[in-house]
Structure formats: C-alpha cells, structure tokens
Amino acid sequence: MPTAEQPVHDLVGIGFGPSNLALAIALRERGARTGEQIDAVFLEKQLSFGWHRGMLLEGTTMQVSFLKDLVTMRDPTSEFSFLSYLKARDRMIDFINHKTMFPSRLEFHDYLEWAATPFADQVEYGSEVVAVTPVTGGDQGAVECLDVVVRQADGELSTRRTRNLVLAVGLTPVLPDGIVSDEWIWHSEELLDKLPSLTDPRRVLVVGAGQSAAEVTEHLHGRFPEAEVCAVFAKYGYTPADDSSFANRIFDPAAVDHFFGAPEAVKERLLAYHTSTNYSVVDLDLIDELYRRHYQEKVRGKERLRILNASRLVDVAQDAEGVHATVEFLPTGERTVLEADVIVYATGYRPGDPLTLLGATGEHCERLPSGGLRIERDYRIVTSENVRCGIYVQGAAEHTHGLTSTLLSNTAVRAGEIADAVASRLSRSGRGSYAFSH
C-alpha cells in the first residue's frame, strides 16, 4: 500500500488493448516531437498482449481498412503504421499484390503484437486492477491523485499513484440472463480456446445474428464435416452490414465533433439510423457463402447447415449427455427440443462500465440526465471541482461521442487527442517532481 511519499506517474492506463496501445504510441511520438516526456505506465490483466484471440478464425478478415490502424489517421508517417509493419515483415509487395484493403484478422493481430513489443517496459502484464481510490492533499482536501490498486498474477497487491487515469477496459462478453458458460455452453469469445475439447460432435447450436455468429457458424460447419450446425436467430435472415461509402462517414473524425455538439434527440436518431453499420449485421459475402452452402445441401438432400430463423431459445437443460435446447418458432409458437453437444452464444458484448473500477472515485463523476457519464470532448469524465486529476475513457462514450467510441475506426485520432489533453493538463499543473506528499 502507499507510503507517505510515493512516486507519482503522469498517467496510468488500465488495459492494454488497441486503444491504450495507440495512446502509448501517441505519447511516445508526441514526446519525440516536443521534447516533453510523459511518465506513463499501463496495467493489463492478460499475461501477454492479446486481442479477441478466441475469434482469430482462419479466413476471417478485418471489417475496417488497414489505413485505420493505430496511427495512420493521425500521422501517416508514423513508424508504427500497418505499412511499416508490412515492410518489417518483408511482405509489402505481397500485400499490394493481394489487392485488398482488409487484412486477415490473424495478420492484423500480428501487427498489433508487433506494435506492442517496443512498449514492454511500460506495460505490466498479469496485473489486474481491483480498485481506484482518491488521494487528497493540501488544498482543502482536493483530490490531487489517484491510487490504482493492482493484484499481480501471484496474488500480491501493489499500488500505482497517478495524476491522470485512462480507462480502456474493452468489451465484456454478454450471455442471456440465467446462462452461465461451462463445458457445453460457450460464448463466441472463447471459441478457439474451447474447440479442442469438442470431438466428433453430432449437433452444435449457434445463437445470434451478427458477424461473430455467422463466422462461428461457417467455421463449425467447415471444421466438422459430419456435424449438424444449427443457426438460431429471431430475424428471417442475416442483415447485411452497411459499409457503403456515404454511410461510413459516421466513422469520420469530423463526425465525432458533429455528434458531440448535437442535441440529445439528434444523437439518438443518428445512433438509430446507423446501427446497421455495426450492430447485429454481417458482411454480405459471408451471408452469400452461408446461403450457397445451405442451398447446395438442399440439392444434395443432406442438410447439415440448418437456419432456424424467426426462432429463439426458450429453455436450455443439461445432463450427462450434453444440452437439450428448446427452440420456439416465433410466428406459430411451435417448440422443438434439440439435443446438442455444445451451444455457442454469439450474443455480443457490452462496454465495460468505468464506475465498476472507480469505486469511491466514481462518486466524484458527474452524470447526464439520461444516467450516462458526462464526458468532455477530449474524453475526460467531468468530475466535481475538488478533483484535480484527470480521468479519461477509451470506450463507454458512445452516448456522447458516437459509434466510434469502441471501434478501431477513430482509435488513432482519439489516442492523439487524449495524449494532447493529458499533456496540456500536466503543463497547467506545473508538476515538477514525481513525488506527492500527504
């Protein structure tokens, strides 16, 4: 626990996925450009860098252009660009000849690992943040710093003190109420981790209608050539993702400014208008491939890929043999019980709630009338006047900043804005040493 005098970091980042990796790069490049060094450390509960490893399926591609990497939208000359990665891997010509803007997910993950390697001395892996507590000092009990309590992989607790905190806790997998992941019930996030335990399945159910659900359905159908794969969803068919040129403008950096300054009613309409760019939608090529397989099986008279559309799971029971899923066809109410080896729920994610970690510090954070956190344009949570430190979020800001809050599309620009905001606050505070006394 903290002593009376303890080193104080300029910035502590919670989480080290793409968002805080982009921030680490932005801080380093800003320091090289201005000569102003910011002391930053990042805390990551995983033992090594990883980003949705459980869904790195063979053949899947990114849904955003490689130009929307960690840096290019902010600085096309950065040495951490995807093109620099290709050059380092001696694959630039091969990639150009590939004639695509969308690298495989495996390749993009390798790019992220490549970019993260130079920051190993700033990242503490195997470090789970369990609490954030305010530290008061001199001026009428003002909150000058924050103590970040960390549980190490060996169970030991330690504390990092900071003037600024950046929360990038990512997304939390969502399962329906009452459903718990176990050996027979999985979330798509853990697919590749659990697949080795599945041998010669007779039937697998995939629940969900989004990109992950379609990818899991395709993967299982190809991996287990004797198994029946049932896709269960409430729609009549998968909805194509709207990635058309004009619709993609919702992800432009300028759109964040437009959204942030818009009236609340306009924000709600914009989110509703453009859900088809990101939520419960599937790439058209993948939809066509699944339909092709489904139709050809009908022609051959042996249907392994079953599309249980306009349907929902109403009950799941388990015994020693596996799971028994009751599927209801919504238009008629007819119910069918299907025995399955595994049910994979591709039911999406929700942004991590910053207040879960902030604890008592969260009492100083202001809320909007809607109940969401009040967040400034520079991604700083608005706090009470007696809080002198900055608390920033990467993610959990869709209600204030629009659809790019948790997506790669604006990560490079967002990280640069946060780096500049933190540097400006430090400059105004006139901090001269890395020690803070009670």
Side-chain angles (χ1 to χ4, degrees):
M1 300 303 294
T3 58
E5 186 172 287
Q6 178 176 344
V8 182
H9 297 284
D10 292 329
L11 182 153
V12 166
I14 300 179
F16 198 67
S19 291
N20 268 351
L21 169 55
L23 176 60
I25 294 170
L27 290 169
R28 179 170 295 188
E29 293 183 338
R30 189 185 189 285
R33 186 175 67 252
T34 65
E36 301 171 7
Q37 299 304 314
I38 293 177
D39 171 37
V41 63
F42 298 89
L43 307 169
E44 170 56 53
K45 65 181 178 180
Q46 296 185 101
L47 297 178
S48 62
F49 185 89
W51 183 59
H52 295 300
R53 285 186 178 274
M55 281 294 290
L56 296 179
L57 304 178
E58 189 71 33
T60 56
T61 59
M62 296 295 294
Q63 293 175 278
V64 296
S65 165
F66 72 87
L67 294 173
K68 292 186 174 182
D69 56 20
L70 299 169
V71 294
T72 298
M73 296 284 286
R74 174 178 56 81
D75 178 10
T77 67
S78 171
E79 63 179 298
F80 290 95
S81 70
F82 185 79
L83 289 177
S84 296
Y85 155 79
L86 289 175
K87 183 70 173 177
R89 291 286 195 257
D90 196 26
R91 284 203 309 271
M92 183 177 287
I93 298 299
D94 295 325
F95 185 84
I96 292 171
N97 289 339
H98 196 26
K99 298 181 180 179
T100 182
M101 297 289 288
F102 307 100
S104 73
R105 202 171 293 162
L106 279 167
E107 182 174 33
F108 200 82
H109 191 276
D110 188 57
Y111 156 66
L112 295 174
E113 289 184 295
W114 170 84
T117 299
F119 297 92
D121 61 337
Q122 286 182 253
V123 185
E124 296 181 9
Y125 291 105
S127 299
E128 180 182 8
V129 174
V130 295
V132 177
T133 58
V135 179
T136 57
D139 186 6
Q140 299 179 341
V143 178
E144 301 282 355
C145 297
L146 298 171
D147 275 348
V148 182
V149 183
V150 183
R151 180 186 293 117
Q152 309 295 340
D154 59 6
E156 291 293 317
L157 294 179
S158 61
T159 301
R160 291 286 195 174
R161 183 166 290 179
T162 183
R163 296 180 175 87
N164 294 280
L165 185 71
V166 181
L167 294 150
V169 293
L171 301 171
T172 302
V174 173
L175 288 169
D177 290 342
I179 300 297
V180 179
S181 176
D182 59 24
E183 60 182 308
W184 292 307
I185 295 176
W186 309 343
H187 189 277
S188 56
E189 171 77 2
E190 53 192 352
L191 182 72
L192 290 184
D193 295 328
K194 291 196 170 183
L195 262 184
S197 66
L198 186 62
T199 56
D200 300 324
R202 295 162 298 167
R203 180 184 288 130
V204 179
L205 270 62
V206 181
V207 181
Q211 182 72 20
S212 293
E215 289 176 353
V216 170
T217 298
E218 181 195 39
H219 183 78
L220 294 175
H221 184 263
R223 179 166 178 145
F224 300 110
E226 300 301 320
E228 182 181 282
V229 179
C230 302
V232 184
F233 48 82
K235 299 178 181 180
Y236 257 86
Y238 296 108
T239 301
D242 185 358
D243 61 352
S244 58
S245 302
F246 287 114
N248 273 343
R249 286 180 169 177
I250 194 67
F251 302 116
D252 290 354
V256 178
D257 290 319
H258 299 155
F259 190 95
F260 185 82
E264 289 303 313
V266 174
K267 289 179 180 178
E268 291 176 9
R269 287 203 295 272
L270 287 172
L271 289 174
Y273 290 154
H274 295 287
T275 55
S276 62
T277 61
N278 187 54
Y279 294 114
S280 295
V281 291
V282 183
D283 287 343
L284 185 57
D285 288 347
L286 180 52
I287 295 175
D288 289 342
E289 171 61 20
L290 288 173
Y291 192 88
R292 183 194 67 79
R293 295 188 191 186
H294 180 58
Y295 181 77
Q296 290 301 324
E297 288 183 352
K298 279 193 170 185
V299 171
R300 291 194 295 267
K302 182 183 179 182
E303 295 183 48
R304 287 197 306 111
L305 178 56
R306 296 179 59 189
I307 306 298
L308 305 181
N309 55 356
S311 300
R312 62 170 181 162
L313 256 64
V314 294
D315 186 56
V316 175
Q318 297 176 252
D319 59 25
E321 300 300 318
V323 290
H324 307 273
T326 302
V327 180
E328 179 182 79
F329 184 56
L330 295 173
T332 65
E334 180 184 357
R335 294 187 173 189
T336 304
V337 178
L338 297 175
E339 296 182 3
D341 296 271
V342 164
I343 300 177
V344 182
Y345 282 91
T347 42
Y349 305 81
R350 69 169 62 93
D353 184 357
L355 295 180
T356 301
L357 281 179
L358 289 177
T361 306
E363 298 173 6
H364 299 275
C365 299
E366 295 188 9
R367 289 185 173 273
L368 297 166
S370 62
L373 284 171
R374 188 181 297 276
I375 301 173
E376 297 283 13
R377 175 60 186 84
D378 62 4
Y379 300 94
R380 184 180 65 84
I381 297 174
V382 178
T383 54
S384 53
E385 291 184 0
N386 69 325
V387 177
R388 305 284 174 79
C389 49
I391 305 172
Y392 299 81
V393 291
Q394 299 217 61
E398 185 174 284
H399 62 295
T400 53
H401 290 67
L403 285 167
T404 65
S405 172
T406 60
L407 304 178
L408 278 171
S409 295
N410 204 41
T411 295
V413 174
R414 180 175 66 244
E417 290 173 343
I418 293 174
D420 288 343
V422 170
S424 177
R425 286 181 65 84
L426 290 170
S427 177
R428 292 197 305 272
S429 71
R431 100 282 193 215
S433 82
Y434 292 124
F436 171 82
S437 300
H438 286 285

